[in-house]
Amino acid sequence: MAVAKVVIDVAAAAIDSLFDYEIPKNLEGSVQPGVRVIVPFGPRKVMGFVTELTSESQFESLKEIISVMDHTPVLTNELIDLSKWLQEETLCYRISAMQAMLPAAFKAKYKKEVWLLADEDELPYAWKIAAEGREVFPFEELEKHQIPSSQVTRMIKEGLIDVKYIVKGKNRIKRETYIELAIDEQELLEVIEDLGNRAKKQRLVLEFFSEEPQPILLNELIKKLQTTKSPIDQLIEKKILKRVKKEVYRDPYQKNTAERTKSLSLTNQQQSAIEPIHTSIDENRHEVFLLHGVTGSGKTEIYLQSIQRVMDEGKEAIVLVPEISLTPQMVTRFKERFGGEVAVLHSALSQGEKYDEWRKIQRKEVSVVVGARSAVFAPFENLGIIIIDEEHETSYKQEDYPKYHAREVAKYRGRVHQCPVVLGSATPTLESYARASKDVYTLLELKDRVNEQDLPHIEIVDMRTELEKGNRSMFSESLTEKIQDRLDKNEQIVLLLNRRGYSSFVMCRECGETIQCEHCDISMTYHRRHHKLKCHYCNAERSMPKTCPNCESDAIRFFGTGTQKVEEALNAQFEKARVIRMDVDTTSRKGAHEKLLGQFGRGEADILLGTQMIAKGLDFKNVTLVGVIAADSMLHLPDFRASERSFQLLTQVSGRAGRHELPGEVVVQTYTPEHYSVVLASEYDYEGFFQREMNFRKQVGYPPYYFMVLINLSHENHVQVNQMANELANELAKNLSQESILLGPTPSPMLRIKDRYRYQCMIKYKRKEEVDYALRNVLEHFKKEVNQNKLQMTIDFDPYYFM
Ligand SMILES: Nc1ncnc2c1ncn2[C@@H]1O[C@H](COP(=O)(O)OP(=O)(O)OP(=O)(O)O)[C@@H](O)[C@H]1O
Ligand SMILES: [Zn+2]
Ligand SMILES: [Zn+2]
């Protein structure tokens, strides 16, 4: 008996295992690991993924698979295994893990079309009838004419046909006719000779092909030779040439692929950094590198040349970049180097475009993918390197199930393919740098900028003294002066305003005091409703003070300024300045991000004002001043990584100035100029920051000294979820040793979302097995409530958001 093991497309605990189905005779050969099938499940028909084929089952009387959806596997064997690993690692449903690996188009409604790649004569009779002379026709025609599934699968493998998914809606697939030689070049010469002086037009065409034997667009050929279609048709008739239809991909970056760049000759620092990577590539050895290079030190060039090395060996490369920096600037650098070998995957593409890009990878038409987080699942089968640029970015962690971190997936795939993984950053995470210090990762350093200029000088402005001087404007005297200076010189300015944490923390404008939780060393958050301050971690609470507990000033208030307000202030103070504002509001439309940056790049504006989305990756020649309006806004977030994030952001944004000939300068406005992350960022002292922050993490027991997992419960009933949260804590405590620290239960910082009340527990731990065991136990414990859809429980390893 032929049996398929299937993961069913229902995300529920009771269904999260493999189900056996019999493969009926007519589907044998078509049902392969990695294809999706339709199976009966209870009274319903549902979709499922085939993970493996076997010849027996421990169950009797299996149900049969109804049909296959894919004739080419959508998941490789490696990805099937990876989904199992993700399920275990993140405690998610297997089906969620599998779906995370595929483009969203597979979840939407789509139609299937059959494309004939061969001449009709080469096809079985039934196909001719089904095709009715069409080259592309609906898949249903095959079913109507009872063409067996196994035959479809075989013909795809033989390259005679293809089956393509048409995502509903716009974006039809484009195909164009190419003409190519049907005979080899030697034969061609003979044919030309035989033609002699007859058929001049045909001869002209053939002579063209003898010089340029590649396939060429029909229209282009006609234009080039200033001929008509008829000699071409005649040659096709004689089977000397043939027509082929080729798919024209929707390629949003097609326009800017004109000129190709060559490898730059590396600086000495770059050379010593790249050598160990090359060695690892050459020796097919998995190794994780942490490439720590200051902004503008030429990390990207190292990525490009490592990829070149990998491609020379016929292997493939994945490059992850944070969503936000997937601007044309970054993509263009890869496209300019590797041309059509590059696929791009990011969220600004339409579903159809994303599917096209994914398909290029699946069909091995490209060997490099540049993309955001989920590109780590690119279905390459011969990976030679995985690169994660700006490895400290939080967007590499997925907040929905499966709650995976792309870095961990990259390392998993690196081990499978025995290839290097390169993590690059000017400000690595503490976790990564700590691993590099312990030689778990190999540290590679670029200490200087390529242009051999010093990093821009950073001036810290104490906004408290500005207030004393009577300056109530958003811009300090120094920043005002410098903006004016750049405007006069026609140089450009980048202004950063961090909106994250907007208005939620309380600070004294006189002395910079913020209110911290006594137990957690974390800023307390203002809750408007009860006019109280709360700690998000331990739930401690206090009333909102009327005066500053430190200096007794009454200038204590919630902190925050919006980009719009800053824009107004700029316009009022610098009448002639042309300002481009970039924040979620101005960049929500598709392509807006690129458009605004394009305008700034062409010098159509003087000031680029934005939120953290402007902090990284930008490389504009004319930017000589960077201003940070309020460096504090991030420092006091209820997050143990607040200092780290501030340090990263300040370093990144400073790196935008003076990247080319003109020297740069940075002004950082702050109410807490003495804070170590401000001071050390202004000195570009990463090492110093690392030591300092590690001390703090050690004292309070945060990562990288402990691992963390956050367990969240939500329910419509406040009383019940409160009870369950206590139960949760008790159950967890039963199975945790002294080594682990259990925090909570406590209401989540956002107590109610969508009418559900939320509570949480946090575990700091050293050994994952112990925690996995405890968590499996609570999953089992709350199974009933969860299955009844009343209780929702989420488990988030290595959490980034605590709200
Ligand atoms: N070997 C080299 N010779 C000449 N120019 C180089 C070389 N390497 C890099 N550059 C140029 O130096 C500039 C900075 O390099 P790159 O953007 O790669 O730095 P980076 O470290 O990735 O920067 P960031 O982290 O700030 O984004 C670029 O304009 C790049 O083209
Ligand atoms: Zn004060
Ligand atoms: Zn607390």
Side-chain angles (χ1 to χ4, degrees):
M1 189 173 47
V3 176
K5 295 198 175 291
V6 177
V7 177
I8 303 290
D9 183 18
V10 179
I15 299 166
D16 193 28
S17 56
L18 297 176
F19 288 82
D20 288 1
Y21 285 91
E22 194 176 338
I23 305 172
K25 275 269 169 307
N26 65 330
L27 294 185
E28 266 177 30
S30 291
V31 177
Q32 325 162 52
V35 300
R36 292 167 308 155
V37 290
I38 302 292
V39 293
F41 192 74
R44 294 184 291 162
K45 286 184 189 175
V46 300
M47 193 274 277
F49 287 86
V50 175
T51 60
E52 60 183 293
L53 307 182
T54 64
S55 54
E56 56 195 61
S57 170
Q58 61 186 102
F59 303 100
E60 280 174 25
S61 73
L62 295 182
K63 291 187 187 160
E64 285 190 348
I65 291 176
I66 298 170
S67 61
V68 284
M69 295 174 71
D70 309 303
H71 289 273
T72 311
V74 293
L75 293 178
T76 61
N77 284 327
E78 183 210 347
L79 293 180
I80 293 173
D81 290 344
L82 174 55
S83 72
K84 175 119 187 82
W85 181 80
L86 272 177
Q87 175 193 26
E88 285 162 4
E89 238 4 66
T90 67
L91 297 180
C92 70
Y93 299 129
R94 183 85 180 265
I95 190 72
S96 315
M98 289 175 142
Q99 254 148 9
M101 298 174 176
L102 295 177
F106 282 115
K107 275 193 243 160
K109 281 237 182 303
Y110 56 81
K111 275 181 17 194
K112 283 195 286 189
E113 279 180 356
V114 179
W115 293 32
L116 301 184
L117 304 177
D119 265 357
E120 262 200 36
D121 323 342
E122 291 179 59
L123 301 173
Y125 183 65
W127 286 75
K128 285 187 209 162
I129 299 182
E132 288 178 14
R134 291 168 295 181
E135 287 176 343
V136 175
F137 55 92
F139 190 83
E140 295 91 73
E141 301 280 352
L142 296 183
E143 289 160 359
K144 237 187 260 165
H145 291 86
Q146 297 178 348
I147 291 170
S149 204
S150 50
Q151 196 176 62
V152 180
T153 308
R154 205 184 56 235
M155 291 186 41
I156 293 175
K157 279 191 186 141
E158 287 170 7
L160 300 175
I161 61 155
D162 198 0
V163 172
K164 193 159 153 74
Y165 307 104
I166 310 303
V167 181
K168 224 179 119 188
K170 37 195 171 19
N171 283 327
R172 294 284 310 171
I173 277 101
K174 267 175 59 192
R175 294 208 325 160
E176 292 191 46
T177 306
Y178 285 75
I179 302 298
E180 67 178 35
L181 276 175
I183 56 179
D184 68 34
E185 288 169 47
Q186 191 53 44
E187 285 174 292
L188 176 64
L189 293 178
E190 288 164 19
V191 173
I192 295 175
E193 206 153 302
D194 287 351
L195 269 182
N197 275 333
R198 291 170 294 124
K200 281 216 174 85
K201 283 184 179 169
Q202 291 184 29
R203 198 190 154 96
L204 188 69
V205 174
L206 292 181
E207 274 168 354
F208 174 82
F209 274 100
S210 78
E211 273 163 37
E212 289 181 49
Q214 306 87 350
I216 178 167
L217 270 172
L218 175 60
N219 292 339
E220 207 171 302
L221 182 64
I222 291 174
K223 230 203 248 150
K224 266 201 176 147
L225 300 180
Q226 301 198 326
T227 178
T228 58
K229 242 180 113 221
S230 79
I232 300 170
D233 283 339
Q234 286 155 1
L235 288 165
I236 292 171
E237 191 83 355
K238 292 190 203 163
K239 296 205 187 296
I240 295 169
L241 294 181
K242 65 180 176 190
R243 233 189 301 264
V244 280
K245 291 269 180 186
K246 286 201 180 178
E247 181 175 345
V248 182
Y249 289 108
R250 290 159 281 202
D251 183 350
Y253 295 100
Q254 217 162 29
K255 286 152 257 138
N256 46 32
T257 53
E259 273 182 32
R260 296 285 281 272
T261 58
K262 293 218 177 68
S263 292
L264 303 171
S265 74
L266 297 179
T267 63
N268 287 341
Q269 286 194 15
Q270 283 174 318
Q271 191 57 44
S272 10
I274 206 169
E275 264 160 23
I277 303 177
H278 280 176
T279 308
S280 160
I281 294 169
D282 295 347
E283 293 176 358
N284 287 320
R285 192 163 37 76
H286 171 59
E287 187 169 350
V288 183
F289 295 97
L290 180 62
L291 177 58
H292 177 212
V294 300
T295 55
S297 59
K299 295 185 286 294
T300 312
E301 188 60 31
I302 291 187
Y303 305 152
L304 291 167
Q305 297 197 19
S306 304
I307 293 170
Q308 187 62 55
R309 186 81 155 212
V310 161
M311 285 168 72
D312 290 345
E313 298 193 1
K315 294 188 179 177
E316 297 135 355
I318 294 176
V319 185
L320 300 185
V321 289
E323 191 66 69
I324 271 164
S325 78
L326 269 173
T327 59
Q329 275 207 341
M330 193 69 178
V331 172
T332 303
R333 283 178 78 176
F334 283 86
K335 285 252 172 181
E336 280 176 347
R337 191 66 59 88
F338 303 121
E341 285 291 327
V342 182
V344 179
L345 284 174
H346 68 95
S347 67
L349 302 182
S350 71
Q351 265 191 16
E353 286 168 339
K354 265 187 238 167
Y355 170 64
D356 280 1
E357 295 293 302
W358 182 84
R359 213 167 118 84
K360 288 185 199 166
I361 303 166
Q362 193 201 22
R363 289 163 48 144
K364 314 271 179 308
E365 293 172 353
V366 293
S367 43
V368 181
V369 60
V370 181
R373 180 179 63 227
S374 64
V376 76
F377 297 118
F380 284 132
E381 293 180 277
N382 197 10
L383 270 175
I385 195 167
I386 304 177
I387 293 163
I388 304 186
D389 187 29
E390 312 283 3
E391 72 97 25
H392 59 277
E393 277 293 310
T394 53
S395 64
Y396 288 126
K397 171 76 189 294
Q398 169 148 309
E399 293 305 318
D400 303 330
Y401 274 119
K403 296 176 185 280
Y404 69 91
H405 199 298
R407 191 200 299 129
E408 301 310 307
V409 177
K411 288 193 300 196
Y412 173 97
R413 298 195 72 182
R415 282 194 298 275
V416 172
H417 291 272
Q418 284 300 304
C419 72
V421 171
V422 179
L423 312 173
S425 176
T427 51
T429 55
L430 258 71
E431 286 89 336
S432 293
Y433 201 77
R435 285 194 178 128
S437 326
K438 284 165 95 192
D439 288 331
V440 182
Y441 298 164
T442 308
L443 185 63
L444 308 171
E445 288 192 289
L446 301 174
K447 291 189 188 290
D448 302 302
R449 281 194 159 177
V450 176
N451 65 3
E452 291 184 339
Q453 299 247 14
D454 287 338
L455 287 157
H457 176 260
I458 301 180
E459 177 194 354
I460 302 175
V461 177
D462 184 344
M463 289 305 276
R464 293 168 304 188
T465 35
E466 294 290 316
L467 198 68
E468 275 167 26
K469 284 190 281 186
N471 177 8
R472 290 191 169 257
S473 133
M474 283 176 201
F475 314 112
S476 58
E477 263 174 28
S478 169
L479 185 57
T480 308
E481 221 169 79
K482 289 186 168 130
I483 292 177
Q484 194 54 58
D485 174 61
R486 295 321 190 278
L487 292 174
D488 295 342
K489 290 200 256 180
N490 277 326
E491 294 172 1
Q492 288 177 302
I493 302 151
V494 167
L495 284 185
L496 173 82
L497 178 78
N498 207 322
R499 272 222 316 203
R500 230 185 261 159
Y502 177 60
S503 209
S504 60
F505 74 97
V506 171
M507 190 172 73
C508 173
R509 290 192 65 170
E510 212 109 313
C511 75
E513 172 87 356
T514 58
I515 314 275
Q516 304 269 316
C517 171
E518 322 181 76
H519 310 291
C520 303
D521 283 335
I522 288 288
S523 304
M524 297 186 89
T525 307
Y526 176 66
H527 285 240
R528 201 173 298 257
R529 235 172 49 153
H530 306 291
H531 199 54
K532 274 194 171 132
L533 297 173
K534 278 192 174 183
C535 169
H536 282 180
Y537 280 15
C538 73
N539 205 30
E541 182 178 290
R542 57 168 295 175
S543 56
M544 169 77 191
K546 294 204 167 49
T547 54
C548 171
N550 185 43
C551 75
E552 298 191 341
S553 152
D554 59 359
I556 185 157
R557 49 183 61 100
F558 339 118
F559 200 78
T561 329
T563 37
Q564 233 166 333
K565 265 179 147 177
V566 180
E567 188 183 18
E568 283 161 24
L570 279 174
N571 287 331
Q573 223 165 319
F574 308 97
E575 271 172 37
K576 289 205 197 95
R578 297 163 300 165
V579 181
I580 289 182
R581 174 161 66 93
M582 270 181 76
D583 55 24
V584 268
D585 301 327
T586 62
T587 56
S588 57
R589 250 182 312 127
K590 195 182 159 189
H593 196 248
E594 286 84 343
K595 206 179 119 211
L596 293 175
L597 289 178
Q599 286 172 357
F600 189 66
R602 288 189 300 274
E604 290 164 24
D606 309 299
I607 304 179
L608 179 66
L609 163 69
T611 52
Q612 50 268 47
M613 67 173 71
I614 62 165
K616 44 215 143 186
L618 305 183
D619 190 13
F620 294 114
K621 285 195 167 59
N622 204 25
V623 173
T624 58
L625 175 65
V626 165
V628 180
I629 308 286
D632 315 81
S633 59
M634 206 174 219
L635 271 178
H636 310 292
L637 280 177
D639 180 341
F640 72 87
R641 289 192 179 92
S643 304
E644 186 182 7
R645 291 209 200 160
S646 296
F647 181 85
Q648 288 165 349
L649 187 67
L650 288 178
T651 308
Q652 293 294 336
V653 74
S654 305
R656 299 313 111 205
R659 292 171 70 87
H660 296 266
E661 283 84 50
L662 297 168
E665 209 180 353
V666 182
V667 177
V668 171
Q669 303 189 157
T670 171
Y671 289 92
T672 44
E674 66 287 346
H675 192 287
Y676 62 96
S677 73
V678 176
V679 175
L680 295 170
S682 77
E683 291 164 358
Y684 295 102
D685 186 1
Y686 177 85
E687 187 69 31
F689 175 78
F690 175 76
Q691 298 303 349
R692 181 77 198 252
E693 184 68 8
M694 284 295 271
N695 273 339
F696 160 70
R697 301 284 178 91
K698 189 172 187 179
Q699 274 166 28
V700 281
Y702 285 128
Y705 289 96
Y706 279 89
F707 295 106
M708 261 165 97
V709 59
L710 182 69
I711 307 110
N712 186 288
L713 295 184
S714 79
H715 196 287
E716 284 179 2
N717 184 306
H718 194 165
V719 179
Q720 281 185 31
V721 71
N722 188 347
Q723 263 166 19
M724 287 182 203
N726 284 318
E727 240 173 80
L728 170 71
N730 289 337
E731 284 299 313
L732 286 172
K734 269 194 224 162
N735 291 307
L736 293 176
S737 71
Q738 296 276 308
E739 228 182 20
S740 300
I741 301 165
L742 176 65
L743 300 176
T746 149
S748 299
M750 307 207 27
L751 176 63
R752 194 168 62 152
I753 296 180
K754 288 184 188 158
D755 289 322
R756 298 181 72 89
Y757 291 87
R758 306 161 75 241
Y759 276 71
Q760 65 187 35
C761 282
M762 192 141 67
I763 308 172
K764 302 189 203 171
Y765 64 93
K766 301 255 185 196
R767 284 189 312 124
K768 187 154 191 297
E769 306 83 64
E770 176 181 316
V771 172
D772 279 343
Y773 181 80
L775 290 172
R776 289 216 167 84
N777 171 59
V778 296
L779 282 170
E780 189 61 35
H781 182 88
F782 288 109
K783 203 168 169 181
K784 203 169 121 231
E785 286 86 351
V786 169
N787 280 343
Q788 286 168 344
N789 255 333
K790 289 189 177 142
L791 177 71
Q792 277 172 13
M793 172 152 66
T794 60
I795 296 174
D796 188 3
F797 287 97
D798 193 14
Y800 279 80
Y801 289 95
F802 301 89
M803 308 304 265

